[in-house]
Amino acid sequence: MKIKKGRVLVVDDDQGIRDQLMWALKDSYEVLLAEDGPSAMEIIREQKPQVIALDISLSPFAQNEEGFEVLRKIMELDPKSKVIMITGNETKHLALKAIKMGAYDYFTKPIDLQEIKVIINRAIYIGKLEQENELLLEKLQAERRFHDIIGSCPQMMKVFDIIGRVATTNATVLIYGQSGTGKELVAKAIHRQSLRKGKSFMPINCGAIPENLLESELFGYEKGAFTGAVGRRKGKFELANGGTIFLDEIAELSLALQVKILRFLQEREIERVGGREAIELDVRILAATNKDLQQAMEKGVFREDLFYRLSVVSIALPTLRERGDDITLLANSFLNQYNKEYGKNIKAFSAGALQELQTYEWPGNVRELENKVKRAVIMTRSNLVTPEDLDLQLSEKSGKLTLRQAKDRLEKKLIREALIKNRANISRSARELDVSRATLYDMLEKHQIGKEDFS
Ligand SMILES: Nc1ncnc2c1ncn2[C@@H]1O[C@H](COP(=O)(O)OP(=O)(O)OP(=O)(O)O)[C@@H](O)[C@H]1O
Ligand SMILES: [Mg+2]
């Protein structure tokens, strides 16, 4: 069996160096040659070499700028490229600058052929590892989502489980959750997982439309039903026929409309505003609210019979704060998404930023997290997201904490910091925090910190 050779591109304006490297490397690698920047870039785009050996002073007239310029372009194209700089003795001091710009390594002329082979082999090997790692990560992320809903904490697993079980039934589902927890996403997932997926999914926000308009929005109207009703119009229910209607902010429905929805749930038919005939429809209702319906019923503003009809199955979405490590999972996924959207290549969150993501209250839940990450991607100038980029108003929030909460939070923060710094080494972290190892283990348990997260 023929083993595929690694592909190496040599970029040097000196014919002597090109010949020498071709001769030395051709048995072990597939060697490509370029004598200037433009032809190098063309080869890189088309043939994607695993390693690029690049002369730092590509053009003798350009005073070293040309090599850096090509390096910059390569990193722009693919920041994971493995570029090894070729430097002369007089340009050795520039190697550090190149490495800061993302070059992988450098070697000095005159070329030691043994040495360069070792460097190239290692670069190929690391490139391969990175690629495998990326694939693995992608797979992992794919396993941690259900349709577009990302999550791996126990509460979200339970949500996925319920969705999976109710989706193919026609059961009405009531989705509870604070603002930004993903209620609409869950409703869509149920629809897309159901037998109705080919038909329409019709969301309507009951809180956003004035009551007198809402009725005709939902049920449609006949010509002459009211001033301005110049023709017959179908409502959302009819438009959703065969599919799903999603009644968002259901608690905002007036008692009169609640009766009409109830009637549909009992009879499976509606009447248009100003109409006399009953229209039979096949529509599944999903509803959502961030209000406490129990309380609304006690106050007499929400009908108990409708509540029971709606909540055949109910799904309670946890707040973002309750989702533990999902915060990091979501943040990374949004980072990826907005990197792509804005053509950026921000690699990760700094340790400090990750910590703030965990500490912050997230009153706006996932929607707020998404917005903060988006902002950070736009604002960040380096390839790491720092706490400043996230701009979370931590101090304002901590003013509302009790002393005990503040103490707990600080304790947790210090422990996480120590673990990160000491790469999860318990003895060293304990020594730094000036507690015994047993105490530290107790604290990890108390704060539900997994030490494996920091290794
Ligand atoms: N688990 C999740 N994974 C990925 N994205 C999510 C998740 N939860 C929410 N989002 C995103 O957060 C935003 C808010 O979600 P959604 O509109 O479903 O929330 P909501 O509960 O309906 O909010 P609101 O009460 O404000 O209407 C959307 O952009 C959605 O894509
Ligand atoms: Mg919503």
Side-chain angles (χ1 to χ4, degrees), residues 145 148-151 156 160 177-186 205 246 248-249 288 290 317 323 330 333-334 338 366-368 370:
R145 65 168 72 208
D148 290 332
I149 315 171
I150 296 166
M156 289 308 288
F160 298 164
Q178 282 182 9
S179 147
T181 47
K183 297 184 290 294
E184 183 151 355
L185 220 51
V186 167
N205 187 334
F246 173 50
D248 203 356
E249 295 192 34
N290 56 14
L317 289 173
R323 298 189 202 181
L330 281 157
S333 159
F334 292 136
Y338 287 109
V366 186
R367 187 195 304 288
E368 186 182 9
E370 181 172 356

Side-chain angles (χ1 to χ4, degrees), residues 36-172:
D36 56 26
S39 48
M41 291 314 294
E42 200 179 314
I43 293 175
I44 291 168
R45 259 186 227 106
E46 278 165 18
Q47 315 221 36
K48 305 198 181 355
Q50 278 114 321
V51 176
I52 301 153
L54 171 65
D55 183 15
I56 215 162
S57 46
L58 199 48
S59 153
F61 312 110
Q63 294 183 332
N64 309 322
E65 289 307 317
E66 177 72 3
F68 284 117
E69 187 55 25
V70 176
L71 175 61
R72 197 183 56 72
K73 280 191 186 141
I74 296 173
M75 296 325 288
E76 218 173 74
L77 194 68
D78 178 8
K80 289 186 288 300
S81 301
K82 298 285 168 279
V83 182
I84 303 169
M85 304 305 287
I86 311 172
T87 76
N89 244 333
E90 66 285 1
T91 50
K92 204 171 158 186
H93 62 287
L94 294 172
L96 198 64
K97 180 179 166 195
I99 284 179
K100 274 196 186 138
M101 285 171 66
Y104 168 75
D105 205 339
Y106 70 96
F107 62 87
T108 339
K109 289 184 276 195
I111 296 166
D112 175 336
L113 295 175
Q114 257 345 88
E115 183 190 332
I116 188 173
K117 276 192 193 168
V118 171
I119 298 180
I120 291 176
N121 281 340
R122 208 178 41 165
I124 292 178
Y125 176 67
I126 286 180
K128 226 187 249 162
L129 281 186
E130 282 177 356
Q131 220 173 16
E132 280 170 14
N133 199 13
E134 217 164 88
L135 285 177
L136 215 66
L137 234 129
E138 257 169 41
K139 209 176 132 217
L140 215 69
Q141 294 240 338
E143 280 165 8
R144 287 170 159 187
R145 65 168 72 208
F146 185 90
H147 293 277
D148 290 332
I149 315 171
I150 296 166
S152 67
C153 67
Q155 302 97 303
M156 289 308 288
M157 297 314 269
K158 197 172 147 206
V159 170
F160 298 164
D161 180 54
I162 301 176
I163 295 175
R165 279 195 272 168
V166 298
T168 50
T169 73
N170 273 327
T172 307

Side-chain angles (χ1 to χ4, degrees), residues 199-200 202 215-222 232-245 264 269-273 275 277-283:
K199 298 286 171 56
S200 56
M202 196 65 72
E215 182 176 2
S216 49
E217 222 13 70
L218 285 170
F219 301 112
Y221 53 79
E222 295 290 347
R232 161 189 287 182
R233 221 188 108 190
K234 285 185 180 174
K236 297 269 184 189
F237 266 90
E238 273 180 86
L239 294 171
N241 200 10
T244 307
I245 192 164
F264 171 76
E269 47 187 41
I270 60 142
E271 256 168 48
R272 298 197 188 108
V273 178
E277 68 176 315
I279 301 163
E280 202 176 306
L281 294 175
D282 168 30
V283 175

